[in-house]
Amino acid sequence: MQRSSIRKLVDNLQQETGSGKSVINTNSQNTQTSVNDSESKFRNTMRQAPVGITILRGPDFFVEMANDTYLSIVDKREDEFVNKPLFESLPEVRNSIEDILNRVLTTAIPYNGNEFEVTIKRFGKREQCYFNFVYQPLIEDSGEISGIFVVATEVTQQVLAKHRLERSENQFRTLVTQSQFAKAILKGPDFVISIANESMLKNLWGRELYEVVGQRLFDVFPELESQNLGKILHDAYQSGKLYRDNEASILINGNDGLKEHYVDFQYAPIFETEDEVSGIMVSLNDVTDKVTFRKQISEAAERLSLATDGTQLATWDLDLNTKHIIYSGRLAAIFGFEETKLLTHQQMRDLVHPEDRKTVVEKAFEMALQTGTYYYEARIIHPDNTIHWIRTQGKILYDENHRPHRMLGTMMDITDRKEDELALKISEDKYRTLADELESQVQLRTKELTIANSELVKTNMELAQFAYVASHDLQEPLRKIQTFATRILETENENLSDRGKDYFRRMQASSTRMQQLIVDLLAFSRANAVEKHFEKVDLNVVLQNVKEQLGDTIQQTNARIIRDDLPVWNVIEYQFEQLFTNLIANAVKFTKQETDPVITIRSGLISGELIPLNGAEAHLTYQYLSFSDNGIGFDPQFKDRIFQVFQRLHNRSTYEGTGIGLAICKKIVENHKGLIDAIGKPGIGSTFIIYLPV
């Protein structure tokens, strides 16, 4: 190595380490000695360096020095490598690095190789190796580039390990993507979707790969986090344990909406290091069809079991080739044995009554082989010699060559039915006679019903006539009594005593009450004789009409009505106007002193099972209307009494009325096949609720 180059490397090393700041001796001899010592130390340092170092000189890349590490890398002794051209010792590397060395030598630009691949003949064979290296140009004081300083580190094992890992990952990804089972790889504690195969995307998630890759699982499918499989996923990541289970239920919100699947699943932790979990490989096998089918089979078997138990049926399965028969315990009981008794097919045939064995049973068997359907009714003889009747039905099953090989069927004891048929036949004549007598009685009863119906029609006509008289003829005398009493009080007031005046006032009040009573009775009668003219009616319009009719009363009492937006119902309109009028008038009438009435009307739907009234059907849905007030209320023990005709809870002097209004309300609700309820508390108020079935 030229001294100027060595000195320059020493100077650079001293500048980097700080050793160049030592005291400068002006004596040239001492300076030369110091330089020689530095060069010696530098060479010794390079020789012991843990990285490969060599110095190449001139255009032939003459090896000036190489440390032990470099010699080990190229598998050369110093005497066969140093002081020789590089490519003479390592001809196999010429094609790989010659151009690079020439470029560094001519341009003075260093070159850094990273995982550089080169083939070297060492240890008796050619090896493909990988190096990280630096080619540093050596520049003299004159500016001439005299050589190249090489620092190299072999990374063959690391690169090969990385390649093996990449191949392993690629194989793993291929295994995942090509698996017939649904698979996905979730990375990190946030379960970021790294890989998902076609089966997972199409069959379970209902997504395209671009929609999910790089996304957090619970951001794409938030419904999974609260489910059991979501909780197990967290456990698998935290514990590093493998989890698996079969036929687990999972709800996934795919493109076709929320859908339940049954899956066999496995959560396998993926380890970055020996102890650190970096992700989870999810494997799912959708067994929804299998579970659903098994449930259907189970339900069918249960239904069959219930059916056979309830109908006393026995089931059997006969192998037509071997005559081996499998049957339920009920079959042995039908033949008069304990259910645990084992019977052969021939033993069962021998128990058939001799008269029926050939003509009925064997004939039916021969017919079944032709038609595929087996049916007969025959007698059997029990071990106690009693005779019983059986009915057998069956169906032939065929093999792939369409040859009969099995017969499935049922058997039932029909002894009671046969005995009933016999008894019926014996008594048929008797019943025919009774039928003739019954026909005469029916004719007589029909005549009586015709007469009764005529009388009912007549009664209804009389009631209608009474209603007419009540509405016209009975009210006319009352109006005259009221008119004459008023005139007498006006014209003869001075001639009447105080007692006389009081009598006339009482007479007016009584006639007014009588008139109101007639009006209410007519209304009640009209509610009874329903004209069933139902139509779609907007209850908001009905309420508005009632408010206009009661306008003066509402204004005088400062009454306030609060309501929901009322629905459109199929009702008899004039009857619902009467219903609203009576309920609102009642609420205004029974008001606490010095309190403005407030009436609240609500509507909605309610299940029949929540209605606390007899007659409410639990399986129906009802529409309801409620009328609540802040009035005087009533004692709950009287809730049924207030709906009866002429029933009052207060004396007439305190609150006016005939006691018919709520009875009319009840009758109107009943005309609509509905229910009415009353809830009250003294001093708090009352609520009347109407329920009509939807």
Side-chain angles (χ1 to χ4, degrees):
M1 181 175 184
Q2 295 180 3
R3 184 166 300 276
S4 60
S5 298
I6 293 293
R7 184 176 292 115
K8 185 174 293 187
L9 287 173
V10 171
D11 291 343
N12 290 339
L13 183 61
Q14 287 175 339
Q15 288 175 9
E16 291 175 359
T17 62
S19 61
K21 296 181 181 179
S22 60
V23 178
I24 300 175
N25 192 330
T26 57
N27 187 289
S28 62
Q29 182 65 36
N30 291 338
T31 301
Q32 184 62 40
T33 301
S34 176
V35 169
N36 291 336
D37 290 342
S38 295
E39 288 181 1
S40 177
K41 289 179 181 179
F42 176 71
R43 287 179 176 275
N44 189 47
T45 298
M46 287 195 299
R47 182 172 297 280
Q48 298 180 44
V51 296
I53 298 175
T54 186
I55 297 174
L56 307 177
R57 288 293 181 179
D60 293 330
F61 306 113
F62 188 84
V63 179
E64 185 174 283
M65 66 84 60
N67 70 352
D68 293 342
T69 303
Y70 197 92
L71 292 171
S72 175
I73 289 174
V74 297
D75 188 29
K76 301 292 183 183
R77 297 191 311 274
E78 185 174 11
D79 61 341
E80 64 181 0
F81 186 69
V82 177
N83 297 322
K84 294 182 178 180
L86 175 66
F87 298 134
E88 181 181 321
S89 302
L90 299 173
E92 66 271 17
V93 302
R94 179 187 292 270
N95 291 336
S96 300
I97 65 173
E98 185 176 21
D99 289 343
I100 299 173
L101 291 172
N102 285 326
R103 189 160 56 249
V104 173
L105 198 61
T106 57
T107 64
I109 299 174
Y111 183 87
N112 292 279
N114 183 43
E115 296 182 1
F116 189 86
E117 181 182 354
V118 64
T119 300
I120 299 178
K121 185 177 181 181
R122 60 180 185 177
F123 312 121
K125 61 181 179 179
R126 294 174 67 87
E127 290 188 11
Q128 189 177 28
C129 306
Y130 296 88
F131 296 91
N132 292 341
F133 63 83
V134 176
Y135 289 166
Q136 177 70 36
L138 294 175
I139 304 174
E140 303 300 326
D141 292 339
S142 62
E144 177 190 0
I145 303 172
S146 63
I148 298 174
F149 186 79
V150 180
V151 179
T153 302
E154 184 171 3
V155 291
T156 301
Q157 296 306 316
Q158 296 93 315
V159 172
L160 293 178
K162 184 172 72 172
H163 289 174
R164 287 194 297 271
L165 180 60
E166 289 174 352
R167 287 196 299 272
S168 177
E169 287 184 352
N170 290 334
Q171 291 171 354
F172 182 64
R173 285 178 177 269
T174 302
L175 178 65
V176 168
T177 54
Q178 294 181 356
S179 173
Q180 62 177 332
F181 300 113
K183 289 183 178 290
I185 295 178
L186 311 177
K187 290 290 188 179
D190 291 332
F191 305 116
V192 175
I193 300 169
S194 174
I195 304 173
N197 68 357
E198 192 74 6
S199 180
M200 179 72 83
L201 292 167
K202 300 299 183 185
N203 300 336
L204 286 171
W205 287 354
R207 296 285 195 278
E208 296 293 338
L209 182 62
Y210 73 86
E211 296 180 272
V212 299
V213 70
Q215 302 293 319
R216 293 185 295 186
L217 177 69
F218 296 133
D219 287 345
V220 181
F221 302 104
E223 69 277 4
L224 294 179
E225 191 162 15
S226 60
Q227 297 181 50
N228 190 44
L229 264 66
K231 297 174 182 177
I232 294 175
L233 188 61
H234 284 287
D235 292 342
Y237 188 86
Q238 292 169 4
S239 68
K241 295 180 180 178
L242 183 142
Y243 282 82
R244 60 163 60 99
D245 199 358
N246 295 324
E247 297 182 2
S249 173
I250 183 172
L251 293 171
I252 299 178
N253 192 9
N255 289 335
D256 54 351
L258 194 65
K259 186 177 179 181
E260 183 178 25
H261 297 265
Y262 291 92
V263 295
D264 296 340
F265 78 93
Q266 175 177 286
Y267 292 157
I270 300 171
F271 292 92
E272 187 71 26
T273 62
E274 186 172 338
D275 299 321
E276 183 180 355
V277 178
S278 63
I280 299 289
M281 186 174 79
V282 177
S283 301
L284 302 178
N285 182 23
D286 191 342
V287 292
T288 304
D289 292 342
K290 182 182 77 174
V291 173
T292 302
F293 182 70
R294 191 179 66 247
K295 286 184 176 181
Q296 291 172 347
I297 293 296
S298 177
E299 291 170 359
E302 185 176 353
R303 287 196 297 270
L304 178 60
S305 176
L306 290 172
T308 55
D309 290 344
T311 58
Q312 300 297 303
L313 279 173
T315 58
W316 50 266
D317 182 347
L318 175 65
D319 188 317
L320 295 176
N321 296 318
T322 65
K323 295 299 187 289
H324 176 69
I325 188 168
I326 302 172
Y327 55 86
S328 62
R330 177 67 189 158
L331 192 70
I334 289 176
F335 280 97
F337 297 94
E338 294 291 331
E339 290 193 356
T340 55
K341 176 70 174 177
L342 296 178
L343 297 172
T344 66
H345 179 254
Q346 187 59 47
Q347 287 173 323
M348 295 178 192
R349 278 289 179 92
D350 293 342
L351 292 172
V352 177
H353 194 287
E355 295 179 6
D356 295 344
R357 194 175 302 156
K358 187 173 183 63
T359 58
V360 177
V361 177
E362 293 183 6
K363 183 178 179 181
F365 188 82
E366 292 173 0
M367 185 66 68
L369 294 176
Q370 299 175 15
T371 64
T373 302
Y374 190 43
Y375 178 85
Y376 67 80
E377 291 182 1
R379 292 167 290 176
I380 60 173
I381 302 175
H382 277 204
D384 60 2
N385 291 321
T386 57
I387 295 177
H388 294 257
W389 282 85
I390 60 171
R391 181 181 66 200
T392 295
Q393 291 177 281
K395 184 175 182 61
I396 297 287
L397 299 182
Y398 300 89
D399 61 17
E400 62 275 8
N401 297 317
H402 200 67
R403 290 178 299 201
H405 75 108
R406 287 174 61 199
M407 186 187 294
L408 305 179
T410 61
M411 181 180 290
M412 184 178 186
D413 188 319
I414 59 170
T415 303
D416 291 341
R417 196 201 78 188
K418 283 293 186 179
E419 290 176 350
D420 290 343
E421 288 177 356
L422 180 61
L424 180 62
K425 186 175 181 180
I426 293 173
S427 60
E428 187 177 15
D429 292 339
K430 177 181 176 181
Y431 284 126
R432 186 177 290 109
T433 301
L434 290 175
D436 293 339
E437 294 177 0
L438 181 60
E439 185 178 356
S440 299
Q441 292 178 3
V442 168
Q443 292 176 353
L444 178 60
R445 184 59 179 159
T446 301
K447 184 176 180 181
E448 292 173 352
L449 289 174
T450 302
I451 295 172
N453 187 53
S454 299
E455 292 178 352
L456 181 60
V457 172
K458 182 179 179 182
T459 301
N460 285 337
M461 292 177 64
E462 290 173 351
L463 285 174
Q465 186 176 7
F466 167 76
Y468 178 81
V469 170
S471 62
H472 295 86
D473 297 352
L474 288 181
Q475 292 191 62
E476 182 60 27
L478 285 175
R479 284 194 292 270
K480 289 184 178 179
I481 291 171
Q482 291 173 326
T483 300
F484 290 142
T486 301
R487 289 181 180 177
I488 290 173
L489 285 173
E490 291 175 351
T491 60
E492 303 295 333
N493 187 53
E494 295 178 356
N495 298 326
L496 294 173
S497 63
D498 290 339
R499 178 176 294 181
K501 294 176 183 177
D502 182 56
Y503 287 159
F504 272 102
R505 292 190 189 96
R506 291 186 182 185
M507 182 174 64
Q508 281 183 311
S510 296
S511 62
T512 300
R513 284 196 301 274
M514 182 67 177
Q515 189 175 37
Q516 186 60 47
L517 182 60
I518 291 172
V519 170
D520 288 348
L521 281 172
L522 283 171
F524 185 73
S525 174
R526 191 181 182 198
N528 262 324
V530 182
E531 296 177 13
K532 295 185 178 180
H533 181 61
F534 288 86
E535 58 183 335
K536 295 287 185 181
V537 176
D538 187 344
L539 297 186
N540 295 290
V541 176
V542 172
L543 177 61
Q544 185 59 37
N545 293 339
V546 171
K547 286 169 66 176
E548 291 176 0
Q549 294 171 16
L550 298 176
D552 292 341
T553 304
I554 292 173
Q555 186 175 4
Q556 291 170 7
T557 58
N558 271 340
R560 189 158 56 97
I561 298 176
I562 302 171
R563 67 175 178 87
D564 289 343
D565 185 23
L566 302 184
V568 174
W569 283 6
N570 193 37
V571 298
I572 304 169
E573 184 173 7
Y574 77 86
Q575 288 197 0
F576 253 66
E577 283 192 6
Q578 182 71 51
L579 176 67
F580 276 39
T581 300
N582 288 2
L583 292 175
I584 294 174
N586 255 23
V588 173
K589 182 195 302 182
F590 295 105
T591 305
K592 293 178 289 189
Q593 291 184 355
E594 299 181 357
T595 301
D596 293 341
V598 177
I599 304 158
T600 304
I601 306 174
R602 301 289 184 223
S603 70
L605 297 175
I606 186 172
S607 172
E609 61 185 358
L610 301 178
I611 299 175
L613 295 175
N614 292 333
E617 299 187 39
H619 67 282
L620 293 181
T621 299
Y622 289 78
Q623 298 170 324
Y624 73 85
L625 276 178
S626 66
F627 292 75
S628 301
D629 61 57
N630 61 340
I632 61 175
F634 62 86
D635 194 317
Q637 65 177 316
F638 300 124
K639 66 176 292 185
D640 294 326
R641 177 178 165 188
I642 61 178
F643 289 113
Q644 298 174 11
V645 179
F646 301 129
Q647 294 298 315
R648 300 171 52 89
L649 302 184
H650 310 281
N651 60 51
R652 188 175 291 110
S653 61
T654 305
Y655 295 100
E656 296 181 355
T658 61
I660 297 178
L662 290 178
I664 293 173
C665 291
K666 183 177 181 182
K667 180 56 64 177
I668 290 172
V669 173
E670 288 175 348
N671 288 342
H672 290 77
K673 308 300 182 184
L675 303 165
I676 187 168
D677 193 14
I679 303 170
K681 190 172 183 181
I684 301 300
S686 306
T687 297
F688 292 89
I689 309 174
I690 298 136
Y691 302 102
L692 296 187
V694 175

